[in-house]
Amino acid sequence: MTAHIEAASPHTMNTYARLPMAVDHGRGCRVVDVNGKSYLDGLGGIAVNTLGHNHPKLVPALQDQIGKIIHSSNYYHVPNAEVLAKKLTELSGLTNVFFCCTGLEANEAALKLARKFGHDKGIANPQIVVYEKAFHGRSIATLSATGNPKIQKGFEPLVEGFIRVPMNDIEALKKATEGNPNVVAVFFETIQGEGGINPMRIDYLQQLRQLCDERDWLMMIDEVQCGMGRTGKWFAHQWAGIKP
Ligand SMILES: Cc1ncc(COP(=O)(O)O)c(C=O)c1O
């Protein structure tokens, strides 16, 4: 079985330690492998397939769209993107949406915004507070923001401009940034996913919000893994009554 699956994928780069199983199709919360064996899908594409497989409303909607137009580029207005953006602003209480294809791109955009925010304030070397055990993606900048040496190893030199602190310790954050005029933002996961299931405490999130307001820092939240309804609210930070 193992040999069969390995032999079946000799042309893809060996970047993941894959399990010896290949999924053929799925329905709802079950998947079926290429040998016809059925499994309960406890992973959901690493929590991506929140509606399950072969959803009776999602599939026709996707088919309908592909039958109309598959891609029209950013040179033109995209009416459906506006509809979705309006919905997201209503659910988040924020003002605008930037669409991209992956979590790391969203995070790259956030890091760029923070640096731009700093430069606009006359800060030549802006710094961003990030967390121990954080995971923000595998591009050079986002792996530098990630707090896991295993993910960074072999890809040095890392991108500079990050200050790393432990979670849920406001005094540690104050100490790490004391007297530093270059700090422009705090960047974090409300609940760390890849680093373990590590939630930020509600009172810590509220203290963070207050500190960001006092010091004119951006609060930037990566909810790639804990957002979109997965905690019972649309965004996990909404449990603390705060906005990024
Ligand atoms: C919290 C968090 N941020 C960012 C990412 C990166 O997302 P993507 O794999 O879509 O680039 C992940 C992926 O697991 C994640 O869990």
Side-chain angles (χ1 to χ4, degrees), residues 122-143:
I123 299 172
N125 292 301
Q127 293 184 306
I128 298 167
V129 173
V130 291
Y131 284 81
E132 290 171 4
K133 296 188 186 167
F135 182 82
H136 295 299
R138 293 174 192 273
S139 65
I140 293 290
T142 58
L143 74 80

Side-chain angles (χ1 to χ4, degrees), residues 46 101-105 107 135-137 189 193-194 222 224-225:
I46 317 186
C101 301
T102 63
L104 81 81
E105 285 172 82
N107 290 336
F135 182 82
H136 295 299
E189 298 153 84
E194 299 291 314
D222 172 356
V224 165
Q225 200 154 145

Side-chain angles (χ1 to χ4, degrees), residues 160-175:
E160 58 183 43
F162 295 110
I163 299 171
R164 197 169 304 283
V165 298
M167 251 184 143
N168 290 326
D169 185 345
I170 202 77
E171 291 311 318
L173 170 56
K174 285 182 183 168
K175 197 158 166 246

Side-chain angles (χ1 to χ4, degrees), residues 1 13-14 48 96 173 189 200 244:
M1 169 76 177
M13 264 178 91
N14 182 24
V48 172
N96 294 88
L173 170 56
E189 298 153 84
M200 283 206 171

Side-chain angles (χ1 to χ4, degrees), residues 11 39 46-47 58 107 155-156 206 216:
H11 304 299
Y39 300 78
I46 317 186
L58 182 61
N107 290 336
F155 302 114
E156 300 88 352
Q206 292 164 345
D216 194 27

